[in-house]
Amino acid sequence: PIAAGRRLGTVAERDGGHPLGLQLSTLADRHPPRFATPDLAAGWLAVSPDPTALITGRDPEEPSADKDLLDRRDRAFATVQEHYYDEPPRIERGWRHHLVDTQGRGYLDMLNNVTILGHGHPGLSDAVHRQWRRLNTNSRFHYGSVVELSERLTALLPAELDTVFLVNSGSEAVDLALRLAWAATGRQDTVSVEEAYHGWTYASDAVSTSIADNPNALSSRPSWIHTVAAPNSYRGRRRGAEARRYGPEAAARITELAAQGHRLAAFICEPFYGNAGGLPLPDGYLQEVYEATRAAGGLCIADEVQVGYGRLGTHFWGFEQQGVVPDVVTVAKAMGNGHPLGAVITRREIADAYRSQGYFFSSAGGSPVSSVVGLTVLDVLRDERLQDNALETGGYLKRLLEELAARHPLIGAVHGSGLYLGVEFVRDRETLEPATEETAAICDRLRELGVIVQPTSDRQCVLKIKPPLCLTRRSADVFAAALDDVLTHGW
């Protein structure tokens, strides 16, 4: 035992001096390690306290606590802009499909569908740096990259979708898509599906029906919004083989609305049901609904903000899985790999109809830097074969998750395609009672084990699995092992 002020020994100064290493321990029978990984640091510090006070007579200076930063965030940053986790790690770095907190701990990022290429991509960083040094302004100036990006986008789509608007975000893209439909048809009535999320602007929020984001969503929609049932084949009104009835029923609803004097301006839907947890639409769903929409004089909008850009693996665009061609496509998130960039692609006559509404302009949409970002993302997706990786690694991960489902009854189903997957937790596989509280606890425990993932769906009982498309098989193994550990040993 020692006390403050007691002489421990003398260090001779030689060759310019040496750093002093001193370790305390409350253990009688073993020595703590000199270093510990961040996840074990708190445990070792409890038995190996900081000796600074013994040497200097002063308590060690504590680094600025993350709690203080959260308090500052709450004071200056509107709290309606929520953060993940009640006690979130402070993330200041990222690399590929990993995040690193300020304690030096790495996390597997299974959540971040915004950074589709991965965090810190050097090719994207270099391209942005070069363009910032040259020029960044708005798209009313004449330069090459905005033309090149628009041409590259239209080349990825059916030939009739030949005209591009560049915007800042997915919300702005959906908002513009709806306004294009209103201008082209001269009407405003719009149909969206239940349990959907499309954005936060006035128009994109109006077609968002998810009560996870807004508990009053269904009761607070404008009068020009009409909904059809969520085409959820797992827990919706029609399940299993009966899910084929969603398409005819939605089409009949659209026809009924037209007969009642509500001829449509638009039908909007994610071509792969992302917000519900990564469920495919029933086969033929969009074919039937699009046909009814067009018969009622409306336009068909495919919201590809979450599901497009190769994430599904089998197809670059979600609507391709349904064998349809929409009138308007919206894209964002992956398009900029975290940079604020989105697009609306449509037919020339629909774009021209917007002139009746005045002039359109988006300050950062299509700027030189934004356009270079968009071009570089497309280059990397192609050169690094990330869509192929989504198919291969995503298929491998889905098999691992299905193996877990066979052993853990809490897993009711594994949804999804490519690297857009969902693991749905239920308390009973017959009643499908959602395991909402369990899902939240599982996410917290996975964070403790070094995996970032969050719940989704209106019931918040589905793990949304949307990692960067550079995810490796080794990391898929890490995720599956961590989830297995939690489901086996508890949370």
Side-chain angles (χ1 to χ4, degrees):
I2 56 175
R6 177 179 172 184
R7 182 180 293 277
L8 301 178
T10 302
V11 178
E13 184 174 336
R14 296 177 306 176
D15 302 327
H18 296 277
L20 174 66
L22 178 66
Q23 186 179 55
L24 303 182
S25 174
T26 62
L27 301 175
D29 57 347
R30 63 180 300 182
H31 295 293
R34 291 188 63 196
F35 300 96
T37 55
D39 51 319
L40 300 178
W44 282 117
L45 282 170
V47 297
S48 182
D50 190 331
T52 302
L54 290 173
I55 302 169
T56 66
R58 300 189 304 271
D59 289 333
E61 293 183 8
E62 293 291 336
S64 178
D66 287 342
K67 179 63 169 63
D68 177 61
L69 187 66
L70 280 175
D71 291 341
R72 288 166 53 199
R73 173 181 170 127
D74 288 344
R75 288 194 297 271
F77 196 61
T79 54
V80 72
Q81 302 170 96
E82 297 178 352
H83 51 73
Y84 296 135
Y85 305 110
D86 292 334
E87 297 181 5
R90 181 175 172 181
I91 303 295
E92 299 282 2
R93 289 180 180 270
W95 177 247
R96 290 177 61 81
H97 50 286
H98 291 90
L99 299 167
V100 184
D101 70 16
T102 50
Q103 300 301 309
R105 186 173 189 194
Y107 298 85
L108 179 60
D109 182 3
M110 298 300 294
L111 178 65
N112 212 315
N113 69 330
V114 176
T115 47
I116 196 168
L117 308 182
H119 303 284
H121 195 284
L124 183 58
S125 174
D126 291 346
V128 170
H129 175 72
R130 286 193 301 269
Q131 189 58 51
W132 267 112
R133 289 178 64 90
R134 291 173 180 165
L135 174 71
N136 196 36
T137 183
N138 65 69
S139 60
R140 283 183 283 194
F141 289 95
H142 181 47
Y143 47 88
S145 57
V146 70
V147 179
E148 294 170 25
L149 178 57
S150 299
E151 290 175 340
R152 288 279 294 277
L153 286 172
T154 57
L156 292 166
L157 288 155
E160 55 265 49
L161 297 172
D162 58 3
T163 306
V164 175
F165 293 85
L166 292 174
V167 295
N168 303 324
S169 69
S171 292
E172 189 181 6
V174 171
D175 195 280
L176 175 59
L178 292 167
R179 293 187 66 186
L180 285 170
W182 302 343
T185 64
R187 298 182 294 276
Q188 195 172 23
D189 284 271
T190 303
V191 169
S192 64
V193 300
E194 295 173 0
E195 298 185 37
Y197 172 76
H198 295 286
W200 61 267
T201 64
Y202 174 72
S204 62
D205 176 71
V207 294
S208 296
T209 55
S210 172
I211 61 173
D213 299 292
N214 176 4
N216 300 314
L218 292 175
S219 61
S220 61
R221 297 307 86 195
S223 60
W224 47 271
I225 292 294
H226 314 276
T227 62
V228 293
N232 188 326
S233 59
Y234 177 67
R235 64 158 59 251
R237 301 172 197 173
R238 309 292 186 188
R239 300 178 182 179
E242 285 291 293
R244 66 179 184 274
R245 298 174 62 180
Y246 281 121
E249 289 174 354
R253 173 61 175 154
I254 290 168
T255 302
E256 177 187 37
L257 285 169
Q260 293 172 348
H262 299 288
R263 294 187 65 216
L264 292 193
F267 168 82
I268 184 169
C269 180
E270 284 186 295
F272 198 89
Y273 208 21
N275 200 65
L279 281 80
L281 300 179
D283 290 343
Y285 179 84
L286 287 185
Q287 290 179 342
E288 293 173 287
V289 176
Y290 278 17
E291 181 179 350
T293 298
R294 286 165 175 154
L299 300 183
C300 303
I301 301 172
D303 183 353
E304 297 275 353
V305 169
Q306 291 198 79
V307 303
Y309 257 56
R311 176 164 289 281
L312 300 179
T314 55
H315 299 81
F316 194 82
W317 304 106
F319 68 79
E320 294 174 315
Q321 291 191 323
Q322 288 277 311
V324 297
V325 177
D327 301 299
V328 185
V329 173
T330 64
V331 60
K333 292 188 185 295
M335 186 179 174
N337 201 58
H339 182 86
L341 178 61
V344 177
I345 308 102
T346 187
R347 299 196 303 273
R348 173 64 59 179
E349 69 271 15
I350 296 173
D352 288 345
Y354 189 83
R355 290 191 177 277
S356 65
Q357 309 296 303
Y359 182 71
F360 176 79
F361 176 68
S362 178
S363 294
S367 72
V369 167
S370 294
S371 296
V372 164
V373 168
L375 287 166
T376 306
V377 168
L378 290 174
D379 288 343
V380 174
L381 282 172
R382 177 198 62 211
D383 297 344
E384 298 185 5
R385 299 180 59 247
L386 293 183
Q387 182 179 339
D388 292 340
N389 189 61
L391 179 64
E392 295 161 8
T393 303
Y396 175 72
L397 175 57
K398 189 173 184 180
R399 291 191 295 273
L400 294 178
L401 296 173
E402 289 169 342
E403 291 170 5
L404 294 184
R407 294 190 284 109
H408 297 289
L410 193 69
I411 299 179
V414 178
H415 309 303
S417 174
L419 285 173
Y420 201 142
L421 303 176
V423 176
E424 184 151 359
F425 295 119
V426 296
R427 293 172 180 162
D428 186 298
R429 288 186 174 179
E430 295 298 322
T431 66
L432 302 187
E433 180 186 359
T436 302
E437 290 76 18
E438 293 91 332
T439 305
I442 288 168
C443 289
D444 282 338
R445 179 59 182 149
L446 284 171
R447 177 187 58 79
E448 293 173 350
L449 295 177
V451 177
I452 300 293
V453 69
Q454 285 286 293
T456 189
S457 89
D458 276 13
R459 289 153 291 278
Q460 294 288 284
C461 66
V462 184
L463 292 184
K464 55 180 173 183
I465 302 169
K466 306 179 292 185
L469 298 194
C470 57
L471 186 79
T472 62
R473 282 195 171 211
R474 180 180 179 183
S475 291
D477 288 335
V478 168
F479 172 63
L483 182 57
D484 188 23
D485 180 275
V486 175
L487 296 176
T488 300
H489 300 293
W491 50 84

